[in-house]
Amino acid sequence: MVAGSYRRYEFVRNRDDSDDGLKPLKDLNGQICQICGDDVGLTKTGNVFVACNECGFPLCQSCYEYERKDGSQCCPQCKARFRRHNGSPRVEVDEKEDDVNDIENEFDYTQGNNKARLPHRAEEFSSSSRHEESLPVSLLTHGHPVSGEIPTPDRNATLSPCIDPQLPGIYQLLLLPVRILDPSKDLNSYGLVNVDWKKRIQGWKLKQDKNMIHMTGKYHEGKGGEFEGTGSNGDELQMVDDARLPMSRVVHFPSARMTPYRIVIVLRLIILGVFLHYRTTHPVKDAYALWLTSVICEIWFAFSWLLDQFPKWYPINRETFLDRLALRYDRDGEPSQLAPVDVFVSTVDPMKEPPLVTANTVLSILAVDYPVDKVACYVSDDGSAMLTFEALSETAEFSKKWVPFCKKFNIEPRAPEFYFSQKIDYLKDKIQPSFVKERRAMKREYEEFKVRINILVAKAQKIPEDGWTMEDGTSWPGNNPRDHPGMIQVFLGHSGGLDTDGNELPRLIYVSREKRPGFQHHKKAGAMNALIRVSAVLTNGAYLLNVDCDHYFNNSKAIKEAMCFMMDPAIGKKCCYVQFPQRFDGIDLHDRYANRNTVFFDINLKGLDGIQGPVYVGTGCCFNRQALYGYDPVLTEEDLEPNIIVKSCFGSRKKGKSRKIPNYEDNRSIKRSDSNVPLFNMEDIDEDVEGYEDEMSLLVSQKRLEKRFGQSPVFIAATFMEQGGLPSTTNPLTLLKEAIHVISCGYEAKTDWGKEIGWIYGSVTEDILTGFKMHARGWISIYCVPSRPAFKGSAPINLSDRLNQVLRWALGSIEILLSRHCPIWYGYNGRLKLLERIAYINTIVYPITSIPLLAYCMLPAFCLITNTFIIPEISNLASLCFMLLFASIYASAILELKWSDVALEDWWRNEQFWVIGGTSAHLFAVFQGLLKVFAGIDTNFTVTSKASDEDGDFAELYVFKWTSLLIPPTTILLVNLVGIVAGVSYAINSGYQSWGPLMGKLLFAFWVVAHLYPFLKGLLGRQNRTPTIVIVWSALLASIFSLLWVRINPFVSTTGVMSNSFMGE
């Protein structure tokens, strides 16, 4: 063994009797440069040129100079930074060397550009009288010694220093003496087990950890290339280096795509300004009302476009490295160090959310590729339905067969309904001969499981008069869904939760919170907060992942994908959640009503990921539990800089001056600036308590914690466990009693739940509000888009259900707009970035666009009927401005599709449904939100179903359900169609000179009809398989030909008409 200490130039060799001789290092003479292939060459003293004194990597002088000047400045093999040799030009990162007098060559970069072998090496080992070659000393990176063998001619002789008189004195110290270490003697006699040695080793480890965290942070911010970790010649040290590499990286979009896109956006902004100036300064006097309406609408559309466009200025992608996650936290043969995760599944009504769909979601969670002792699945039944309870019991039994089958053959997806319905070659990549037999058996088992679930659903159709009873004869506690106690049932746990192979299964827990009349339960947000508390008491996973009951795990490694960010040392402490995109099954091929929402998930959210992170979309999201508790993130000095508004007004904060960061929201949030400090900040306690005894201070602190989190000491203690988990001394029975207590309906009274903690109340879209509060505290979020979609769900595909879904989203946005949490005025003393705030403002004001959109869609019909237009006769220059505006609109759209890889059809469907939703659901949401906030009137739109005439793969697509939301777009369609007929009729009667002005009006009207065409198809449905376009064009052409017939009137002679006219006179 060779041991040494940092900056102590002495080596000690451990003598071993079994060591017969020393293995000489590889001869350095005649080595070839591993980069350019030329000979390494010699130094001025005639010795072999050695670029890296750490590992002796063969590198010629020219490549060495290039790497120092324009490259990474590090050794390609060991990643240690090159030191400047005598005769080498100085670069910026060089440390000051007082003992090296080399002024003439210090800034001479010309010599590094040619292949001449200039002598410049001074920091090397010269040949002694007994050595024919120079031998480098192998060291660890950053100048630390590594255990190895030092070649000596005589293994029992102590080498004397070999001094080259040509070298400066500072380099003579590097010719190290070697002394032999006798194992029979105490190591203290050699100074290797003293306090100084231990301190140096500990200091070296701390420095390595700090370097690792620092470089990981640079890597994630995109400021560096490859991670500069430690290097080694050994496999074990190389594994340590690999484990320190970042577990994810930012992938920027190519500048060849983004630069033209940004240029076009700027040009579009300039052209838009010129266009609006022209429109406001050129009124139409004979149609002033129509002109004024159009100008107001166009100004609002421009403002809305700016809100939507700016957050997409800097989109990014991210890539995860699951192998590095496993190397760091989940090595084979060692206990897994992955963090525990609690998965939440929320359901309400089993009649609207089929139990079989919920069962598939639960089965995909139980079969996830994650340590079973680290996963717990909580199913929230907010409707207290016995059908859900019994279906979950059947699911728990079936999972004992399904989970080992999934893990044995590594199948995807792990939801049986969707796995067995795949139209693919299921034998691909399956090499085990028993797979086919076991797959058939498992499919039979699943069919039997479906039959049992369907029997339960059939029985639940008719509710008994006395209510449901359980198997033991007792009444079901949840017979009254609005008045029942809290219920918890552990179906699978650590005791008894074993599959058919005897392996442990993840926990499966049924939860139905208490509900009583007179209490506000806050719908889904209240149910999710109840799950936060009950999970903290029973399992206390460090992270939470919530999915809707119809969103199953399509990727069994989804949790590991999230952990690549959450458990990253650089960004994990300031990441509040990892959001996955929503993908859907069962949507028609052409996605008539834009259910996939591709533009939002593949363009908007990627743009937000480059700012402060995506918004929370309600499902498929992994949370940091500490962020939900209202704590502040662990931020760096760069993160603590004021936002752009504060910086522009007051300047940035001086480095080196410590000042207290302004507390926001009346000091209600608990601050953390370092992971070693307590999570609860005692500075929040009133100043008059500071003089009291310690007991009084603790009492006041406890009272404040109870006021914040509720009166549960077990839950409060769990909030301080940042890494999750439960104490080993906990009693399961006691925990269950405490869990019942924390889901009681009065637990949240006079606490911060729903205000600063957990899911935030005050809107039906609690997801937007919850994510906004976290971002306002300074947290960041991550958008993770794995190659295989993490989750897949179902979406309403018929027109009425889709409009009602959009209505609920828009109503939630209006509620936030009219609340104190509105992003327009909330959180300016926090750490919300400007572009992130603009994105949130766009998220809540978009329903208001429905009012100008409705007026704008009616303008073409009015122009055709009144024979006027909103634009006066334009000059050639004005025509050029109009053409440039349309060209910039389409150019920006095409370039946006190019960098995002979104299909043109998806973009067009999104544009169509923007008009459909804007003229229906968004419009109703505005008025309903105003009535709810100001008058307290909660209006609900009932949907009446009409049975479909045909069955098929997408039979639901053609189901017609009447709702009030259909009235405005239907009116717009009819009015525009009437306007088209009236305009054509007027042109026919007026002659050829009227067709020119008519073209602009017709194009305007056809623009409206084209955007509402999917709505028209949904309105007409499928009529004997006749395409809707045939019906529409048939009606239009029939009307036009009828008008032509009336105009020509062939059965009436011209003379007769003229005589009749004379007689009239």
Side-chain angles (χ1 to χ4, degrees):
M1 181 188 73
V2 177
S5 61
Y6 183 53
R7 296 192 182 279
R8 181 175 177 180
Y9 300 107
E10 180 183 38
F11 281 78
V12 188
R13 184 173 184 277
N14 188 3
R15 189 171 67 184
D16 189 357
D17 294 337
S18 63
D19 189 5
D20 296 332
L22 297 173
K23 300 176 182 180
L25 296 181
K26 185 179 179 180
D27 190 0
L28 295 179
N29 288 328
Q31 283 194 345
I32 302 301
C33 176
Q34 298 298 310
I35 294 181
C36 66
D38 291 343
D39 186 65
V40 170
L42 303 176
T43 65
K44 185 186 236 178
T45 59
N47 297 313
V48 177
F49 173 69
V50 181
C52 179
N53 192 43
E54 308 291 333
C55 64
F57 184 72
L59 204 66
C60 66
Q61 177 192 353
S62 298
C63 294
Y64 163 80
E65 297 292 354
Y66 175 81
E67 288 294 327
R68 277 175 44 82
K69 181 176 180 294
D70 300 320
S72 63
Q73 301 174 347
C74 298
C75 174
Q77 175 171 289
C78 68
K79 304 300 182 184
R81 189 177 67 82
F82 286 126
R83 295 190 56 143
R84 188 174 76 90
H85 303 330
N86 194 4
S88 301
R90 184 184 294 275
V91 295
E92 295 181 358
V93 297
D94 283 336
E95 298 179 358
K96 186 176 180 181
E97 301 175 2
D98 297 332
D99 294 334
V100 179
N101 186 7
D102 192 27
I103 301 299
E104 64 275 11
N105 296 317
E106 187 167 358
F107 299 100
D108 182 13
Y109 289 99
T110 59
Q111 60 178 341
N113 298 327
N114 53 52
K115 286 290 181 180
R117 303 296 174 218
L118 301 180
H120 62 284
R121 173 73 172 170
E123 185 184 347
E124 63 183 5
F125 296 99
S126 62
S127 301
S128 64
S129 58
R130 293 177 293 174
H131 288 79
E132 297 179 357
E133 59 205 30
S134 176
L135 300 175
V137 178
S138 298
L139 301 177
L140 277 175
T141 56
H142 304 292
H144 303 294
V146 64
S147 299
E149 293 181 344
I150 299 298
T152 59
D154 186 356
R155 62 191 301 268
N156 296 322
T158 302
L159 292 179
S160 59
C162 301
I163 301 176
D164 191 335
Q166 299 180 2
L167 297 179
I170 185 65
Y171 295 107
Q172 294 179 9
L173 295 177
L174 294 176
L175 307 181
L176 308 178
V178 178
R179 56 193 178 119
I180 303 302
L181 178 68
D182 191 349
S184 61
K185 294 185 179 181
D186 189 5
L187 294 179
N188 287 308
S189 60
Y190 296 97
L192 300 180
V193 197
N194 52 26
V195 178
D196 180 64
W197 172 272
K198 293 181 179 179
K199 288 183 178 179
R200 292 181 180 182
I201 293 297
Q202 292 176 357
W204 178 83
K205 291 181 178 180
L206 291 175
K207 182 178 179 181
Q208 295 300 310
D209 293 337
K210 290 181 180 179
N211 289 338
M212 182 267 295
I213 295 176
H214 175 68
M215 292 307 302
T216 306
K218 288 177 61 178
Y219 187 91
H220 277 279
E221 295 297 329
K223 299 177 182 178
E226 295 294 331
F227 179 77
E228 298 179 14
T230 57
S232 168
N233 294 327
D235 294 338
E236 294 183 359
L237 289 176
Q238 184 64 38
M239 184 178 295
V240 173
D241 291 345
D242 294 340
R244 290 180 174 181
L245 292 174
M247 294 179 290
S248 65
R249 72 184 183 102
V250 174
V251 181
H252 298 280
F253 287 94
S255 58
R257 294 186 178 186
M258 294 307 303
T259 301
Y261 173 70
R262 291 170 180 147
I263 292 174
V264 170
I265 293 301
V266 174
L267 292 177
R268 180 178 174 181
L269 183 60
I270 296 173
I271 296 172
L272 184 60
V274 176
F275 169 79
L276 292 177
H277 178 266
Y278 172 82
R279 292 285 285 125
T280 55
T281 56
H282 291 76
V284 181
K285 296 181 180 179
D286 57 343
Y288 189 82
L290 295 179
W291 168 83
L292 182 61
T293 302
S294 65
V295 169
I296 294 175
C297 295
E298 289 163 0
I299 292 175
W300 178 264
F301 294 153
F303 173 72
S304 178
W305 172 74
L306 290 176
L307 292 180
D308 181 70
Q309 185 61 56
F310 282 159
K312 296 186 289 188
W313 187 259
Y314 192 71
I316 61 172
N317 276 322
R318 295 183 187 269
E319 181 182 359
T320 57
F321 303 101
L322 298 180
D323 53 342
R324 297 176 183 176
L325 176 72
L327 192 60
R328 183 177 295 188
Y329 296 111
D330 194 24
R331 295 186 181 181
D332 294 335
E334 299 180 6
S336 176
Q337 300 299 321
L338 292 172
V341 179
D342 296 333
V343 185
F344 296 168
V345 180
S346 57
T347 181
V348 180
D349 188 356
M351 295 294 108
K352 296 180 180 179
E353 301 165 334
L356 188 61
V357 175
T358 306
N360 273 270
T361 300
V362 172
L363 289 171
S364 67
I365 296 172
L366 298 178
V368 73
D369 185 7
Y370 205 75
V372 293
D373 59 328
K374 306 283 187 177
V375 178
C377 177
Y378 291 83
V379 179
S380 171
D381 179 17
D382 219 30
S384 65
M386 189 173 179
L387 173 58
T388 304
F389 181 85
E390 292 180 335
L392 206 59
S393 178
E394 292 286 349
T395 303
E397 290 299 320
F398 178 71
S399 67
K400 298 178 181 179
K401 304 174 183 177
W402 173 251
V403 172
F405 171 76
C406 294
K407 295 186 175 181
K408 180 179 180 180
F409 298 106
N410 194 26
I411 66 170
E412 295 285 359
R414 299 189 176 181
E417 181 69 25
F418 302 96
Y419 170 70
F420 290 120
S421 63
Q422 289 183 117
K423 297 179 182 179
I424 61 173
D425 182 12
Y426 62 85
L427 296 178
K428 186 179 180 180
D429 300 330
K430 299 296 186 296
I431 59 177
Q432 299 188 35
S434 62
F435 172 69
V436 176
K437 181 179 179 180
E438 293 192 32
R439 185 183 186 275
R440 291 174 179 172
M442 183 53 61
K443 189 172 184 179
R444 288 193 298 269
E445 292 284 351
Y446 178 64
E447 294 297 332
E448 295 175 0
F449 168 73
K450 289 174 62 176
V451 170
R452 294 194 295 269
I453 295 295
N454 291 332
I455 291 175
L456 294 177
V457 174
K459 290 181 179 179
Q461 298 297 325
K462 186 177 181 181
I463 302 176
E465 295 181 359
D466 298 335
W468 300 105
T469 56
M470 295 186 290
E471 293 182 356
D472 58 357
T474 59
S475 178
W476 170 247
N479 278 322
N480 187 349
R482 299 182 180 179
D483 186 6
H484 65 85
M487 296 177 286
I488 297 177
Q489 174 67 45
V490 180
F491 286 108
L492 296 175
H494 292 292
S495 57
L498 302 179
D499 58 25
T500 53
D501 295 341
N503 298 319
E504 184 181 345
L505 290 171
R507 290 190 177 186
L508 177 59
I509 303 168
Y510 169 88
V511 178
S512 181
R513 57 177 174 149
E514 182 185 15
K515 287 189 176 181
R516 300 296 181 187
F519 288 89
Q520 181 62 259
H521 301 293
H522 303 290
K523 299 181 180 179
K524 181 182 177 180
M528 299 304 294
N529 285 338
L531 286 184
I532 292 178
R533 297 191 294 270
V534 72
S535 63
V537 172
L538 295 180
T539 53
N540 196 30
Y543 303 102
L544 311 175
L545 194 152
N546 85 291
V547 293
D548 290 340
C549 63
D550 60 341
H551 276 70
Y552 64 91
F553 275 69
N554 183 64
N555 186 346
S556 62
K557 293 179 171 58
I559 298 181
K560 290 184 177 180
E561 295 277 356
M563 291 302 107
C564 286
F565 302 102
M566 288 297 193
M567 301 187 68
D568 191 279
I571 64 175
K573 296 295 184 180
K574 56 182 179 181
C575 178
C576 56
Y577 59 82
V578 175
Q579 178 66 61
F580 293 90
Q582 293 185 22
R583 307 300 186 200
F584 299 99
D585 287 320
I587 297 177
D588 60 299
L589 180 62
H590 299 289
D591 192 14
R592 180 187 296 178
Y593 306 122
N595 281 285
R596 294 189 179 93
N597 215 351
T598 309
V599 173
F600 175 75
F601 287 110
D602 291 347
I603 297 180
N604 294 73
L605 292 191
K606 289 183 179 180
L608 290 177
D609 198 19
I611 305 172
Q612 197 174 347
V615 298
Y616 169 43
V617 298
T619 183
C621 187
C622 184
F623 283 94
N624 186 333
R625 190 183 281 268
Q626 300 299 316
L628 287 171
Y629 288 157
Y631 292 123
D632 282 357
V634 179
L635 301 176
T636 62
E637 287 294 328
E638 183 179 357
D639 298 323
L640 295 177
E641 287 290 331
N643 59 36
I644 187 171
I645 296 179
V646 177
K647 188 183 296 186
S648 61
C649 297
F650 305 103
S652 62
R653 189 161 57 103
K654 296 291 184 180
K655 190 175 182 180
K657 291 185 179 181
S658 61
R659 66 178 180 88
K660 186 177 180 181
I661 302 170
N663 201 358
Y664 49 91
E665 280 302 299
D666 300 327
N667 291 330
R668 301 182 72 176
S669 64
I670 301 174
K671 295 191 170 297
R672 293 188 294 148
S673 59
D674 189 270
S675 59
N676 296 324
V677 301
L679 298 180
F680 183 74
N681 193 345
M682 298 298 293
E683 294 178 359
D684 293 333
I685 302 177
D686 296 336
E687 295 180 358
D688 55 352
V689 185
E690 294 179 358
Y692 283 29
E693 298 290 338
D694 294 340
E695 292 80 1
M696 181 59 69
S697 299
L698 292 175
L699 180 61
V700 172
S701 176
Q702 182 180 358
K703 292 296 182 182
R704 178 169 174 79
L705 287 171
E706 290 180 353
K707 184 179 183 302
R708 182 176 180 84
F709 296 109
Q711 296 184 356
S712 172
V714 176
F715 174 74
I716 292 175
T719 62
F720 289 93
M721 303 179 69
E722 190 175 356
Q723 302 301 323
L726 297 173
S728 58
T729 58
T730 54
N731 185 357
L733 183 59
T734 304
L735 293 182
L736 282 176
K737 292 181 180 179
E738 193 68 21
I740 292 293
H741 169 60
V742 298
I743 62 173
S744 60
C745 57
Y747 182 84
E748 295 182 356
K750 298 181 180 180
T751 65
D752 287 343
W753 284 101
K755 303 172 185 176
E756 304 295 332
I757 301 175
W759 270 257
I760 306 301
Y761 303 149
S763 172
V764 294
T765 53
E766 69 289 331
D767 45 7
I768 296 176
L769 202 53
T770 302
F772 172 67
K773 292 279 288 186
M774 294 181 184
H775 284 138
R777 295 190 184 101
W779 292 90
I780 67 170
S781 57
I782 301 295
Y783 192 50
C784 180
V785 188
S787 56
R788 180 180 179 86
F791 306 95
K792 280 191 175 182
S794 58
I797 62 174
N798 70 72
L799 178 60
S800 301
D801 290 346
R802 175 71 167 133
L803 289 179
N804 278 277
Q805 182 189 55
V806 174
L807 171 65
R808 183 175 62 85
W809 295 343
L811 178 59
S813 297
I814 294 298
E815 289 175 343
I816 298 174
L817 176 64
L818 301 176
S819 69
R820 73 180 186 91
H821 291 116
C822 177
I824 298 177
W825 52 73
Y826 178 85
Y828 279 97
N829 52 351
R831 289 188 287 270
L832 186 66
K833 294 185 178 180
L834 178 60
L835 291 180
E836 191 79 11
R837 182 181 298 277
I838 292 176
Y840 273 109
I841 292 175
N842 181 52
T843 304
I844 64 168
V845 302
Y846 76 90
I848 300 179
T849 308
S850 60
I851 298 175
L853 182 61
L854 177 66
Y856 209 71
C857 289
M858 297 293 287
L859 288 177
F862 291 148
C863 292
L864 288 168
I865 293 173
T866 60
N867 194 26
T868 58
F869 201 41
I870 58 176
I871 300 175
E873 293 185 3
I874 58 178
S875 61
N876 293 334
L877 186 61
S879 301
L880 180 62
C881 178
F882 277 80
M883 288 187 292
L884 288 177
L885 177 63
F886 287 115
S888 65
I889 291 174
Y890 291 116
S892 62
I894 292 173
L895 291 174
E896 189 172 84
L897 298 181
K898 187 175 181 180
W899 67 254
S900 63
D901 293 328
V902 173
L904 179 62
E905 184 180 11
D906 293 331
W907 175 83
W908 173 237
R909 292 302 184 198
N910 181 79
E911 293 295 312
Q912 287 179 315
F913 198 78
W914 175 73
V915 177
I916 296 172
T919 55
S920 57
H922 298 172
L923 183 67
F924 276 75
V926 172
F927 292 104
Q928 185 178 355
L930 292 174
L931 290 174
K932 184 176 182 180
V933 173
F934 294 108
I937 302 175
D938 191 3
T939 305
N940 293 320
F941 300 96
T942 58
V943 178
T944 304
S945 298
K946 181 180 179 181
S948 175
D949 296 332
E950 299 179 20
D951 295 327
D953 293 338
F954 304 106
E956 182 70 15
L957 182 66
Y958 306 101
V959 173
F960 178 78
K961 301 178 181 180
W962 172 253
T963 173
S964 304
L965 300 176
L966 302 176
I967 296 176
T970 304
T971 304
I972 294 174
L973 267 174
L974 292 177
V975 171
N976 277 275
L977 292 176
V978 170
I980 292 173
V981 174
V984 173
S985 175
Y986 177 81
I988 292 174
N989 290 319
S990 301
Y992 293 104
Q993 69 277 3
S994 61
W995 285 97
L998 179 64
M999 288 297 104
K1001 305 172 188 178
L1002 288 178
L1003 288 175
F1004 197 5
F1006 278 119
W1007 176 87
V1008 176
V1009 175
H1011 279 80
L1012 291 175
Y1013 179 70
F1015 173 82
L1016 186 59
K1017 292 189 69 174
L1019 199 63
L1020 297 178
R1022 180 186 292 178
Q1023 304 295 333
N1024 297 325
R1025 299 187 181 274
T1026 303
T1028 306
I1029 190 66
V1030 175
I1031 299 175
V1032 175
W1033 280 106
S1034 299
L1036 283 175
L1037 292 176
S1039 302
I1040 292 173
F1041 283 127
S1042 299
L1043 292 171
L1044 286 173
W1045 180 268
V1046 172
R1047 172 61 180 169
I1048 296 172
N1049 199 3
F1051 298 104
V1052 180
S1053 63
T1054 307
T1055 56
V1057 174
M1058 293 179 62
S1059 62
N1060 290 335
S1061 62
F1062 285 130
M1063 291 175 63
E1065 292 178 355

